[in-house]
Amino acid sequence: NEVSGTPSNVANITVLKITTHPQSKLVAATTVVRLMCTSSVSSNVMFSWTHIGTFINGQSSTTGDTSILTITSVMNSDAGSYMCTVRSGSLSVMSNTATLT
C-alpha cells in the first residue's frame, strides 16, 4: 500500500550504542568518584557495571539513557578498570574501559 510514493511497511531499526563512555580518573583516597555511561536508547534499557571483571551491585543509579556509578569514599581496592554494559532486549554493548588510579 503506497500513498504519495511512500511505502507503508518501513521498518524501525534500533541501534544500541554507548554515546558517553566512562572516563579514566586520578583520584585521592576518601574522595567521591562518579563514572557515567550513556546509551543511544532510553527505554527498556538495563545497565550493569564491572570492576576488574566483577559485577558491582547497588552503587549505580539510572535515569533514562544514563547510568552513574558512584564510589562514595575511594579506597586503594577501588583502583583498576571499570566497564559499563548496556542491554536492550537481545542487544548488548560494552563501554570502553575507564581506569581509576
Side-chain angles (χ1 to χ4, degrees):
N1 185 4
E2 288 190 22
V3 176
S4 302
T6 303
S8 61
N9 58 346
V10 176
N12 289 324
I13 299 173
T14 300
V15 176
L16 180 63
K17 63 182 180 177
I18 294 178
T19 55
T20 303
H21 292 266
Q23 299 296 305
S24 296
K25 296 179 184 272
L26 175 62
V27 296
T30 72
T31 60
V32 175
V33 173
R34 290 180 180 85
L35 299 175
M36 183 172 67
C37 183
T38 304
S39 165
S40 61
V41 176
S42 61
S43 62
N44 298 321
V45 64
M46 292 176 43
F47 292 86
S48 60
W49 289 88
T50 58
H51 173 230
I52 315 173
T54 302
F55 284 98
I56 302 169
N57 290 316
Q59 289 181 258
S60 64
S61 60
T62 301
T63 304
D65 63 353
T66 302
S67 178
I68 297 174
L69 175 68
T70 302
I71 303 169
T72 55
S73 183
V74 173
M75 299 183 299
N76 289 338
S77 61
D78 293 317
S81 61
Y82 289 81
M83 292 182 77
C84 171
T85 301
V86 180
R87 290 181 177 80
S88 181
S90 62
L91 305 173
S92 69
V93 63
M94 294 174 67
S95 71
N96 295 339
T97 300
T99 302
L100 194 63
T101 52

